[in-house]
Amino acid sequence: QAIQAINGHTNMSAEEFTNVIFQKIDVNNDGELTLEEFITGVERDKDLLELITKSFDLSNVLKVIQSG
C-alpha cells in the first residue's frame, strides 16, 4: 500500500493491485509467481516496469516524507 501511495496508485486496494499483477504476469495461472515469471512479466509490461522502477527510486519516498 505504501508503494502504491508513493507512486500515486491509490485508486485501488492492495488486493486489487496484487490481482492485476498476477493477471498480467502469472503465465501458467497457478496463482504463484516464480522469479522467472516475475522478471519476464515485468520486462514485457512497460507500465509495470515503470511502476517497479519508480518503487525503487527513493527520490519519490523523500518527496512524500518532505511533504508530510
Side-chain angles (χ1 to χ4, degrees), residues 8-30:
H9 295 278
T10 57
N11 57 336
M12 65 175 80
S13 71
E15 183 177 353
E16 290 169 327
F17 183 76
T18 303
N19 289 338
V20 167
I21 301 304
F22 269 82
Q23 288 172 1
K24 289 183 176 207
I25 63 178
D26 182 18
V27 293
N28 64 1
N29 296 315
D30 67 353

Side-chain angles (χ1 to χ4, degrees), residues 8-56:
H9 295 278
T10 57
N11 57 336
M12 65 175 80
S13 71
E15 183 177 353
E16 290 169 327
F17 183 76
T18 303
N19 289 338
V20 167
I21 301 304
F22 269 82
Q23 288 172 1
K24 289 183 176 207
I25 63 178
D26 182 18
V27 293
N28 64 1
N29 296 315
D30 67 353
E32 296 180 5
L33 290 180
T34 64
L35 180 57
E36 182 179 319
E37 279 180 310
F38 178 78
I39 291 170
T40 302
V42 170
E43 287 175 340
R44 290 183 181 167
D45 188 297
K46 290 182 182 183
D47 293 331
L48 187 55
L49 180 58
E50 182 180 339
L51 175 65
I52 297 295
T53 302
K54 284 182 179 179
S55 297
F56 291 107

